[in-house]
């Protein structure tokens, strides 16, 4: 019991000395095996000098910058790896008309923002949506539970069973639909009575977004040979 108390005191004095020298809590915890709560209790009365505080802030900024660069480097390397693999797949996949059709349609109508890397395809043509669902399922291999859908429609065209209509076209259960987006219109009568709005199919999958980018690069290289 006595030895334990002495060891604890030694750790406390060491922690105090380290803090007074300007060390951060994180650095001290790497040296002394105590909880952060205990350390906070031991050091609560120790005030750092203005110079020490500035050094700690600068050190934290450098640490965050390094971590950010490491994450960016890892993302770039992963993106390049996925894209390279996808490019090599194109030679075989191009023989399939469905693959080429889906790739071209996504290239034209799909979300291509590299900021969010979000896979999304929007269209009003039910046949085109149905085709893209085949493409997503067969080549992108998106798990059924990862599909999301959202209907966009003008207030003048709202129909009672619009959600059921697009759920049937896509094969996506309505429980995976976002709230229908209804846009006000100045029109007083329907110009297109068969208009069913637009349907946006999406899935949050960065790796798939990068794979599609790789397929497009592989396709371009193939036709430019």
């Amino acid at each position: 019991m006595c030895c334990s108390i002495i060891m604890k005191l030694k750790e406390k004095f060491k922690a105090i000395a380290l803090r007074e020298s300007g060390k951060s809590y994180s650095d001290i915890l790497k040296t002394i095996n105590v909880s952060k709560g205990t350390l906070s209790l031991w050091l609560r009365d120790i005030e750092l000098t203005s110079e020490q505080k500035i050094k700690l802030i600068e050190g934290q900024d450098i640490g965050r910058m390094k971590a950010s660069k490491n994450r960016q480097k890892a993302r770039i390397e992963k993106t390049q790896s996925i894209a390279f693999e996808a490019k090599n797949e194109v030679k075989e996949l191009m023989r399939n008309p469905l693959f080429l059709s889906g790739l071209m349609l996504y290239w034209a109508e799909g979300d291509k923002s590299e900021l969010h890397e979000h896979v999304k395809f929007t269209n009003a043509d039910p046949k085109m949506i149905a085709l893209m669902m085949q493409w997503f399922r067969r080549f992108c291999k998106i798990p059924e539970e990862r599909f999301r859908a959202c209907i966009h429609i003008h207030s003048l065209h709202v129909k009672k069973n619009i959600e059921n209509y697009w759920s049937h076209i896509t094969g996506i259960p309505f429980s995976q639909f976002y709230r229908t987006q209804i846009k006000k219109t100045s029109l007083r009568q329907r110009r297109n009575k068969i208009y069913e709005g637009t349907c946006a199919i999406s899935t949050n999958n960065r790796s798939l977004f990068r794979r599609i980018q790789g397929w497009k690069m592989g396709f371009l290289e193939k036709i430019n040979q």
Side-chain angles (χ1 to χ4, degrees), residues 100-194:
L100 273 182
S101 299
L103 184 61
M104 295 301 100
L105 285 174
Y106 192 89
W107 199 342
E109 302 288 340
D111 193 334
K112 295 171 280 291
S113 171
E114 295 186 4
L115 178 63
H116 300 106
E117 296 185 318
H118 193 66
V119 177
K120 184 178 180 181
F121 181 86
T122 305
N123 208 271
D125 187 333
K127 291 181 180 180
M128 193 176 291
I129 290 292
L131 185 149
M132 286 304 296
M133 289 304 300
Q134 289 186 56
W135 190 73
F136 283 140
R137 288 182 170 115
R138 182 169 176 181
F139 299 102
C140 301
K141 302 188 185 304
I142 300 173
E144 291 298 320
E145 69 274 10
R146 298 298 300 274
F147 280 114
R148 295 293 180 270
C150 185
I151 303 164
H152 296 257
I153 194 165
H154 291 288
S155 56
L156 191 64
H157 294 90
V158 172
K159 299 177 183 178
K160 184 178 180 180
N161 296 316
I162 192 73
E163 291 90 355
N164 291 333
Y165 172 81
W166 284 112
S167 181
H168 175 73
I169 294 294
T170 61
I172 300 174
F174 186 62
S175 60
Q176 291 172 217
F177 275 61
Y178 294 117
R179 183 177 180 180
T180 297
Q181 301 298 303
I182 301 174
K183 185 177 181 181
K184 291 182 179 180
T185 177
S186 58
L187 297 176
R188 295 185 179 181
Q189 61 182 7
R190 296 180 183 179
R191 292 184 177 178
N192 184 353
K193 294 184 178 181
I194 63 170

Side-chain angles (χ1 to χ4, degrees), residues 77-94:
E77 289 176 350
K78 186 174 181 180
T79 300
Q80 290 174 341
S81 175
I82 292 172
F84 179 77
E85 183 181 335
K87 281 167 62 178
N88 290 335
E89 294 173 346
V90 167
K91 184 178 179 180
E92 289 295 323
L93 292 173
M94 278 180 63

Side-chain angles (χ1 to χ4, degrees), residues 73 96 128 213:
K73 182 181 178 183
N96 190 305
M128 193 176 291
Q213 296 294 89

